[in-house]
Amino acid sequence: MNQVDAKIQGELTPQEIRDLKDVFDTFDKEHRGFIDADDLRRALRVMGFKVTQDDLTEMIADVHGKTVPRREVTFEQFLELVVYKQGDARDVYAELEHGFRMMDIGEKGHLTFDDIKKASQAAGLKFRDSTIRDMMDEADTNGDDLISKEEFFQVMLQTNLF
């Protein structure tokens, strides 16, 4: 949080910055400290922003200055772009948080096989146990047989299933 400039801290809450860091990290799969233009566009679209290729080129030029023809943005630059575009977006993280809380029976902070099965049934979806297990295996990146909020967010952001 110390790296984030004061102007951005004035526009975003600490929780919003943490949430945006999760989005950024989801697209910075190789932990390089930056995302390229294609990943930036995907991240912004996931967050509900409508971004054309021309918009993207202009936004990247704005954060780098016109003299630097770069196609990547750092986390702080990503925050600048989000603040710039913020007025038009829906709150994707609030939607994901709400969905997670609805599924997290007993407020354990993670989802179990039974949680996902009950949520599917409540939504009128009929999945085989093996299908639910496959979904959990895909989402469970740490191998604890549970789906944490971070794992849930990561899957939902990558698949646009919200």
Side-chain angles (χ1 to χ4, degrees):
M1 184 94 147
N2 298 354
Q3 302 166 297
V4 177
D5 111 349
K7 179 181 178 239
I8 292 172
Q9 288 183 20
E11 297 285 332
L12 300 169
T13 68
Q15 183 61 50
E16 288 171 326
I17 293 171
R18 284 190 296 274
D19 290 345
L20 289 168
K21 179 72 170 136
D22 288 339
V23 172
F24 184 86
D25 290 346
T26 297
F27 289 92
D28 182 17
K29 294 179 184 101
E30 296 173 16
H31 309 289
R32 300 173 298 182
F34 62 86
I35 57 176
D36 65 26
D38 292 332
D39 286 335
L40 173 62
R41 185 167 190 224
R42 283 187 208 95
L44 291 172
R45 291 183 70 172
V46 159
M47 295 183 334
F49 295 112
K50 302 238 185 293
V51 181
T52 67
Q53 194 62 42
D54 289 340
D55 292 338
L56 189 67
T57 301
E58 184 178 324
M59 290 185 318
I60 291 173
D62 286 346
V63 296
H64 284 295
K66 302 289 183 193
T67 59
V68 182
R70 300 205 43 198
R71 302 261 315 146
E72 302 95 16
V73 295
T74 64
F75 176 62
E76 189 163 331
Q77 291 166 333
F78 175 71
L79 291 177
E80 288 177 42
L81 295 173
V82 169
V83 167
Y84 170 75
K85 295 290 284 179
Q86 189 172 4
D88 304 330
R90 69 184 212 249
D91 190 348
V92 171
Y93 269 91
E95 292 176 25
L96 292 175
E97 179 80 32
H98 179 72
F100 183 83
R101 280 196 322 265
M102 286 178 53
M103 295 174 69
D104 182 11
I105 299 166
E107 299 178 18
K108 305 171 296 301
H110 59 264
L111 303 177
T112 65
F113 175 88
D114 289 337
D115 291 336
I116 295 172
K117 186 170 185 165
K118 288 176 186 173
S120 299
Q121 290 169 340
L125 302 171
K126 296 180 181 177
F127 290 120
R128 292 185 174 163
D129 287 357
S130 61
T131 302
I132 295 171
R133 177 63 48 213
D134 288 345
M135 287 188 282
M136 287 191 67
D137 289 346
E138 183 72 26
D140 181 21
T141 58
N142 66 3
D144 65 357
D145 207 30
L146 302 168
I147 306 303
S148 69
K149 186 183 343 180
E150 292 76 23
E151 290 168 330
F152 177 80
F153 280 24
Q154 185 170 9
V155 165
M156 298 303 283
L157 289 170
Q158 287 176 343
T159 60
N160 285 332
L161 292 176
F162 54 92

